[in-house]
Amino acid sequence: MNTVKLIATAAMGLEAIVADEVRALGYTNVKVENGKIIFDADPSGIARANLWLRTADRVKLLVGEFKATSFEELFEQTKALPWADYISKDAEFPVIGKSVKSTLYSVPDCQAIVKKAVVESLKKRHKIEWFEEEGALQRIEVAILKDLVTLTIDTSGTGLHKRGYRYLHNEAPLKETLAAAMIKLTNWTPDRTFVDPFCGSGTIPIEAAMIGQNIAPGINREFAFENWEWFKQEWTDRALEEAEDLAKYDQPLQILGTDIDHKMIELASNNAIEAGFPDQITFKQMQVKDFTTRDEYGVVVGNPPYGERMQEKNYVENLYRELGRTFRPLDTWSAYFITSYEHFEKLYGAKATKKRKLYNGNIRTDFYQYWGKRPPRK
């Protein structure tokens, strides 16, 4: 097996960022589609992609793709794929599915047929009649879009946003993948001050620290592929060694996370310690209006309350006015805020330099970008 075709799934609006990350890993045959980035890699790329992709949701191994409008076509073409190359005879291989705008619209039926076809394919190669499924998890997905069937095996296990450092969080946590994407959309470099005025459980500051020190986001967690029989330990070891070599643990950081709630400050501090940043991030209980700085250049990234509930509306509107009064005068700083509140610019008191549509879970939001003056070139 010299090459594999991989799919990095992405939240709507983040595809271009994920594609840039894939290319940064050195993969050139990259195809971008809605919600996914398809690319070729050698098998060790499974480990590298899972370790390094900050903004992707999962990495899937593409087994096959074909058109099917009948259950018979689905069965026969699934059965013809080389499942035994990837799935060991003791593996656990459940099938999940989805179907959109397709002739084969019954997802439970499609799942059952794919399962049966995979079993028949494995029987032929493994020379056994019954599969106990007590070994490593190799979850299969059948996804049908406009009659095009895509069959994949999930290499990640739990989603890539589960970095392993956030055991506790607030009621409405921002996914680590979205936090990383927001930071990547800024002009921040680790030699500048970074501030999150609504740090909550600390996700944005921690992701900034990981980016600032070039630490692979998956370095402290496990993945499904690590237990696969055919996946060589040396591929994982090589990817981990590369991640350690590229990390810049000595890179100084000036990162501040503030929140009005002292419980959130305690929670964020504990999460930062868990992530390996006991001293690199400062957390402080503070109201937005009390923020001051002597630093000439900096970047603010915030996920303020959106005012989704009617009783919060007045509080949120006043908060957005305070944001403007606090950060607008810092003309050499850049500020970035994500919110679903459509009149944010009016309350902030300035039109954004740029606005980008993003989804925070199922909530459609805008990412308001206010670019400050650039530092002089050194």
Side-chain angles (χ1 to χ4, degrees):
M1 191 186 304
N2 295 322
T3 61
V4 290
K5 195 169 283 290
L6 302 177
I7 298 175
T9 61
M12 199 181 304
L14 300 187
E15 294 92 344
I17 302 171
V18 175
D20 285 344
E21 288 193 278
V22 169
R23 293 186 188 101
L25 287 173
Y27 304 117
T28 52
N29 188 22
V30 180
K31 184 180 177 185
V32 182
E33 296 182 2
N34 285 338
K36 60 185 180 182
I37 293 80
I38 306 160
F39 60 102
D40 294 328
D42 58 47
S44 67
I46 293 173
R48 294 183 72 231
N50 275 288
L51 274 174
W52 281 105
L53 295 182
R54 299 182 192 278
T55 59
D57 291 331
R58 291 182 178 277
V59 178
K60 298 176 182 180
L61 172 64
L62 179 62
V63 181
E65 211 165 41
F66 52 81
K67 286 272 187 179
T69 55
S70 70
F71 289 137
E72 183 180 358
E73 285 180 319
L74 178 62
F75 178 84
E76 292 298 337
Q77 293 190 80
T78 299
K79 183 183 171 184
L81 294 171
W83 293 101
D85 288 353
Y86 308 109
I87 297 177
S88 57
K89 59 186 176 184
D90 66 339
E92 179 188 357
F93 52 101
V95 179
I96 62 170
K98 58 185 177 184
S99 179
V100 179
K101 298 178 181 176
S102 298
T103 307
L104 301 177
Y105 59 85
S106 172
V107 173
D109 286 338
C110 292
Q111 289 174 196
I113 287 162
V114 166
K115 179 76 172 186
K116 185 178 178 182
V118 172
V119 167
E120 290 303 312
S121 176
L122 293 176
K123 276 183 183 180
K124 193 173 180 181
R125 281 276 298 274
H126 290 314
K127 302 287 192 286
I128 57 174
E129 288 298 312
W130 181 257
F131 296 88
E132 296 289 347
E133 296 196 47
E134 294 177 342
L137 177 65
Q138 297 187 274
R139 189 178 65 186
I140 297 166
E141 181 182 63
V142 50
I144 311 176
L145 175 62
K146 296 179 181 177
D147 297 331
L148 179 67
V149 179
T150 303
L151 289 161
T152 58
I153 303 173
D154 174 36
T155 74
S156 301
T158 53
L160 294 183
H161 70 284
K162 297 278 189 180
R163 314 288 205 218
Y165 63 74
R166 194 170 68 173
Y167 292 104
L168 299 168
H169 51 73
N170 52 335
E171 287 182 11
L174 187 75
K175 269 191 176 181
E176 292 87 334
T177 43
L178 179 57
M182 289 162 58
I183 297 160
K184 280 183 161 289
L185 287 168
T186 75
N187 58 5
W188 181 66
T189 52
D191 58 336
R192 298 168 72 180
T193 302
F194 183 98
V195 176
D196 175 6
F198 309 99
C199 70
S201 55
T203 305
I204 292 175
I206 293 170
E207 289 297 316
M210 295 182 82
I211 290 170
Q213 293 192 341
N214 199 37
I215 296 171
I219 196 77
N220 291 320
R221 56 157 285 175
E222 296 177 347
F223 302 97
F225 70 82
E226 293 179 85
N227 299 313
W228 294 0
E229 191 175 280
W230 66 271
F231 197 87
K232 295 179 182 178
Q233 183 63 43
E234 66 186 75
W235 294 335
T236 304
D237 292 343
R238 200 185 310 149
L240 287 167
E241 188 178 333
E242 177 191 35
E244 283 295 332
D245 289 344
L246 292 173
K248 300 174 182 175
Y249 296 115
D250 295 329
Q251 170 67 52
L253 299 171
Q254 299 176 78
I255 299 176
L256 171 67
T258 71
D259 201 283
I260 196 170
D261 187 345
H262 71 91
K263 291 180 182 177
M264 287 296 104
I265 295 302
E266 184 180 345
L267 183 58
S269 299
N270 289 335
N271 285 337
I273 292 168
E274 197 65 45
F277 302 108
D279 306 310
Q280 294 86 344
I281 307 171
T282 301
F283 291 103
K284 190 174 181 181
Q285 182 184 7
M286 183 190 293
Q287 296 184 68
V288 168
K289 64 182 181 181
D290 293 330
F291 175 81
T292 58
T293 182
R294 293 180 179 178
D295 296 331
E296 190 174 0
Y297 295 97
V299 168
V300 181
V301 178
N303 176 37
Y306 299 170
E308 297 281 307
R309 302 188 192 98
M310 282 302 293
Q311 61 266 35
E312 293 177 346
K313 191 175 178 184
N314 285 340
Y315 167 73
V316 164
E317 289 180 348
N318 287 329
L319 181 62
Y320 292 171
R321 291 187 186 99
E322 281 181 7
L323 272 177
R325 286 193 289 266
T326 302
F327 294 111
R328 265 200 339 268
L330 304 176
D331 64 350
T332 57
W333 281 54
S334 295
Y336 303 80
F337 302 104
I338 187 171
T339 177
S340 63
Y341 194 90
E342 58 182 324
H343 302 301
F344 175 82
E345 290 168 303
K346 183 178 178 182
L347 295 169
Y348 188 80
K351 188 172 175 59
T353 313
K354 191 175 182 181
K355 195 167 70 168
R356 184 175 182 134
K357 182 170 72 174
L358 295 175
Y359 281 83
N360 184 1
N362 294 322
I363 303 172
R364 184 229 184 264
T365 65
D366 284 301
F367 190 48
Y368 295 91
Q369 306 173 43
Y370 294 89
W371 300 349
K373 295 175 184 175
R374 292 190 176 188
R377 287 189 178 181
K378 293 179 182 178

